[in-house]
Amino acid sequence: MSILSNLADECLATATCQLPVELLTKGSFSGRQTAKKIALAAHVAQIDPYRAATHNKGIMNGVDAVTIAMGNDWRAIESAAHAYAARDGQYRGLSHWSLSADQQFLQGELTLPLPVGFVGGSIKIVPLVQLNQQLAQIKEVSDLEKLLVCVGLAQNLAALLALVTEGIQRGHMQLQLRSTALAAGAKITEVAEVVQQLQAQGQTDLTSAQLILQKIRKNGDHNDRI
């Protein structure tokens, strides 16, 4: 029974941010409207564990990716985060969002237990981890903790912004259409046009994407000859 707990609640990292509400203007929603909706959505995650589970999953989408890139055990970080989310007996959202008193800023805060490593184990012997540390300018373990919690907060903001404005489904469909275009063989410079035509014709299967791509390239060859 001699083993460390993954609930490292004395190894906490906190990220905060403050955004002018006008930056959140999207579609028909004013920045202030969007900010209020984000704050309300975050509040729901504090009182409803069903919403909290999805809320926190979104946070960990970003955290897990960085954890893996930095040669750490993402399952340990997941376990720590979800246990911490239930530290008062009810599972809650890990982040908090609110409007400033003058309603000019959206304020966010996220605290995570992050028992990560900077050296030791496979971290110092995997070349890709070394490269990732250099790219992220990780000089010490506190740098990694800061990066992880900041990515988590940014990921959460992106998810909430989509959720309260255009809806998550639209964003997911955009990703699906891009994946379909790439699977059809589209180059990066061709993806946007393939996606646009798939949406216009209402057919989103691989065969349709391949036919669209053939037409795009045929037209391109014709224009080049002209």
Side-chain angles (χ1 to χ4, degrees):
M1 292 297 294
S2 179
I3 188 169
L4 292 174
S5 171
N6 289 120
L7 179 53
D9 54 4
E10 294 185 358
C11 182
L12 302 177
T14 298
T16 61
C17 70
Q18 188 177 67
L19 303 171
V21 294
E22 56 265 23
L23 295 180
L24 300 170
T25 301
K26 193 165 187 179
S28 61
F29 296 102
S30 70
R32 186 170 297 178
Q33 285 177 312
T34 302
K36 288 181 178 178
K37 286 175 175 287
I38 288 173
L40 285 171
H43 179 65
V44 173
Q46 293 299 311
I47 59 179
D48 180 358
Y50 290 91
R51 173 62 204 141
T54 307
H55 181 95
N56 291 341
K57 186 266 184 184
I59 292 171
M60 300 311 292
N61 281 344
V63 173
D64 289 348
V66 179
T67 301
I68 293 168
M70 297 300 172
N72 277 260
D73 184 353
W74 66 271
R75 296 153 301 178
I77 302 305
E78 279 271 350
S79 179
H82 293 298
Y84 188 70
R87 62 192 181 280
D88 69 353
Q90 178 178 324
Y91 186 84
R92 302 182 187 277
L94 287 161
S95 68
H96 298 268
W97 294 92
S98 62
L99 265 73
S100 60
D102 60 6
Q103 298 197 347
Q104 296 301 307
F105 297 93
L106 177 67
Q107 302 170 141
E109 181 174 323
L110 172 65
T111 296
L112 292 174
L114 292 172
V116 291
F118 172 65
V119 296
S122 63
I123 295 172
K124 281 296 184 184
I125 60 174
V126 178
L128 188 56
V129 172
Q130 296 300 297
L131 176 60
N132 289 337
Q133 286 184 346
Q134 291 175 23
L135 290 172
Q137 299 182 25
I138 304 298
K139 305 295 185 183
E140 55 189 21
V141 72
S142 63
D143 293 334
L144 179 54
E145 292 170 358
K146 292 172 185 176
L147 175 61
L148 286 164
V149 73
C150 287
V151 167
L153 188 60
Q155 184 84 15
N156 184 228
L157 175 61
L160 290 174
L161 178 60
L163 184 65
V164 303
T165 53
E166 63 187 15
I168 290 293
Q169 185 62 27
R170 181 176 176 183
H172 283 181
M173 281 304 299
Q174 283 287 333
L175 288 174
Q176 180 60 41
L177 291 176
R178 285 180 60 84
S179 296
T180 301
L182 290 168
K187 299 176 182 177
I188 294 299
T189 54
E190 300 169 323
V191 169
E193 189 172 355
V194 174
V195 168
Q196 184 179 20
Q197 292 194 34
L198 284 171
Q199 289 176 315
Q201 68 183 27
Q203 294 177 308
T204 60
D205 57 281
L206 181 60
T207 300
S208 296
Q210 290 170 334
L211 291 173
I212 289 170
L213 187 59
Q214 289 174 11
K215 291 179 181 177
I216 291 172
R217 289 177 176 174
K218 184 177 180 180
N219 291 337
D221 290 342
H222 176 71
N223 292 335
D224 287 343
R225 288 195 295 271
I226 293 175

